Amino acid sequence: MKISFLIVTKNRRDELIFTLNKLKAIIDLEVHEVLVFIDGCSDTEIIINDYNWVKWTTSKDSISASPARQILYKKAKGDIFIGLDDDAHPISENFIETVEQTFIKDNSIGIIAFQEVRGVFNTDSNAINSAIKANSHFTNDFIGCGFAITKNVYDKTRGFPVWIDIYGEEPALALEVLDLDYNILYQPDIVVNHRINTKKRQQQRKNYFRFERLLKNNIRFYLVYYPQPFKKVLKIVMHNFIKYAIKDWSYFRSYFKVMFSTLYNLPLIYKYRKPVKKETIERRLSLKRLNYSAASK
């Protein structure tokens, strides 16, 4: 099978270089391909000539992760698409073969969610030793730093949503895959190291940017996909007001920015509205949630 590795990158040139070097060591360029979308960061473009085996797409202006994926995935030619973050790379043995065999053994699988090991490690051996030993199971979501989807299934969906910028695009695609009656398999034997400094992130406790994007995109998710979204929207609006907005002035401003933006953009949001089957919602709620790795450094 031909595999397309797909990466969207922004302002992490050194991390991207590390990931590309790791990929080159495990792939056969006669069979597989690597595609990278540079999302509005000219400093990364200077490495293009050093990696002429990569299929590059560049954007002068930043369009954000999900719209960039929408563009990039249309260019992929592989039978299987493997999505990675620019700071994530495969670390499990027989990575490619395991992905291929998982799809071959069960044609009901539309997406494979990999195990994510977070943290910066001295070696891949140290990282893999931190992975959780667990059984595979069907789930309702995947993480963008490490997953695989067949081209056949991806082409049946609307792809990554252009009405989401960042944070929330994975649940949208996952729900469309479930609505097509395919399964999403969490396979902990397929592992990627997401090289994030978790201690530094923990020190940045109040992530207002993430809060704003998640609130906005969660509301849009329900408005686009749920047959009767208003109860879910009201619940998430009230929850975020009580938990965040009334306790912090910056959260308060972000909260009402999202409220006004949502009302203003309702006609645009409803342009993309395509409710899934009621059975799909019930199935999504009944599935075991994604098992995240607790290992980090």
Side-chain angles (χ1 to χ4, degrees):
M1 289 185 178
K2 181 172 182 175
I3 294 179
S4 300
F5 291 84
L6 300 117
I7 301 170
V8 172
T9 186
K10 182 178 180 181
N11 297 330
R12 285 198 291 235
R13 183 182 64 199
D14 292 342
E15 294 291 356
L16 175 64
I17 290 172
F18 187 96
T19 297
L20 291 178
N21 289 337
K22 287 289 187 179
L23 285 179
K24 191 175 183 181
I26 67 169
I27 66 175
D28 180 353
L29 289 172
E30 295 295 321
V31 180
H32 310 307
E33 63 177 2
V34 177
L35 296 87
V36 176
F37 188 104
I38 300 177
D39 185 28
C41 45
S42 58
D43 64 323
T44 304
E45 294 181 22
I46 65 174
I47 71 170
I48 288 178
N49 291 335
D50 296 329
Y51 293 85
N52 56 11
W53 48 273
V54 174
K55 297 179 180 178
W56 298 93
T57 300
T58 62
S59 174
K60 181 179 179 181
D61 300 315
S62 176
I63 62 174
S64 208
S66 191
R69 282 174 168 171
Q70 172 72 230
I71 293 171
L72 190 63
Y73 280 54
K74 289 179 180 179
K75 299 183 177 185
K77 305 297 183 183
D79 305 296
I80 298 171
F81 299 165
I82 292 181
L84 297 171
D85 278 1
D86 53 11
D87 59 351
H89 68 279
I91 58 173
S92 49
E93 291 185 7
N94 303 315
F95 177 86
I96 292 175
E97 293 81 358
T98 308
V99 170
E100 291 175 332
Q101 289 303 312
T102 302
F103 282 123
I104 290 172
K105 289 179 181 178
D106 188 348
N107 59 17
S108 76
I109 297 173
I111 295 176
I112 304 171
F114 306 157
Q115 179 176 173
E116 172 198 24
V117 173
R118 296 182 179 183
V120 179
F121 297 85
N122 292 329
T123 66
D124 288 348
S125 296
N126 289 341
I128 199 69
N129 287 337
S130 296
I132 288 175
K133 305 298 182 183
N135 295 322
S136 61
H137 61 81
F138 291 132
T139 184
N140 58 14
D141 203 359
F142 65 94
I143 49 176
C145 73
F147 71 97
I149 183 171
T150 65
K151 176 178 173 58
N152 175 56
V153 171
Y154 185 82
D155 287 345
K156 290 179 181 178
T157 71
R158 293 186 288 175
F160 282 101
V162 296
W163 43 271
I164 285 178
D165 44 18
I166 190 171
Y167 303 136
E169 65 267 32
E170 293 92 351
L173 180 59
L175 187 62
E176 292 199 18
V177 169
L178 292 175
D179 200 46
L180 292 168
D181 298 322
Y182 287 98
N183 291 312
I184 301 172
L185 179 71
Y186 172 64
Q187 177 48 274
D189 294 336
I190 306 175
V191 189
V192 295
N193 177 203
H194 193 187
R195 306 182 308 274
I196 59 174
N197 189 325
T198 53
K199 291 182 180 179
K200 183 177 180 180
R201 288 199 177 186
Q202 288 169 0
Q203 292 170 357
Q204 298 170 343
R205 295 180 179 178
K206 296 181 179 180
N207 193 328
Y208 303 114
F209 177 84
R210 184 179 178 87
F211 167 79
E212 184 176 315
R213 293 305 189 277
L214 279 173
L215 178 57
K216 179 186 73 173
N217 294 331
N218 282 337
I219 292 172
R220 292 187 175 199
F221 176 86
Y222 294 123
L223 291 176
V224 169
Y225 289 120
Y226 271 51
Q228 296 178 325
F230 298 107
K231 185 176 179 180
K232 295 292 293 187
V233 170
L234 181 61
K235 183 178 179 180
I236 196 172
V237 165
M238 292 302 299
H239 170 78
N240 280 274
F241 181 77
I242 294 170
K243 186 173 182 179
Y244 297 102
I246 63 174
K247 298 178 180 180
D248 184 288
W249 173 245
S250 293
Y251 279 132
F252 184 85
R253 287 188 301 176
S254 294
Y255 178 89
F256 279 99
K257 180 180 177 182
V258 171
M259 297 302 104
F260 286 117
S261 172
T262 300
L263 291 173
Y264 181 79
N265 288 294
L266 270 179
L268 175 64
I269 298 169
Y270 269 80
K271 174 184 174 183
Y272 296 103
R273 180 168 167 79
K274 188 179 180 181
V276 299
K277 300 186 291 286
K278 181 181 177 181
E279 294 78 11
T280 301
I281 302 295
E282 294 171 351
R283 181 183 172 204
R284 178 176 186 262
L285 295 174
S286 68
L287 284 165
K288 186 177 180 180
R289 298 182 65 181
L290 193 61
N291 186 12
Y292 292 99
S293 172
S296 61
K297 283 191 177 182

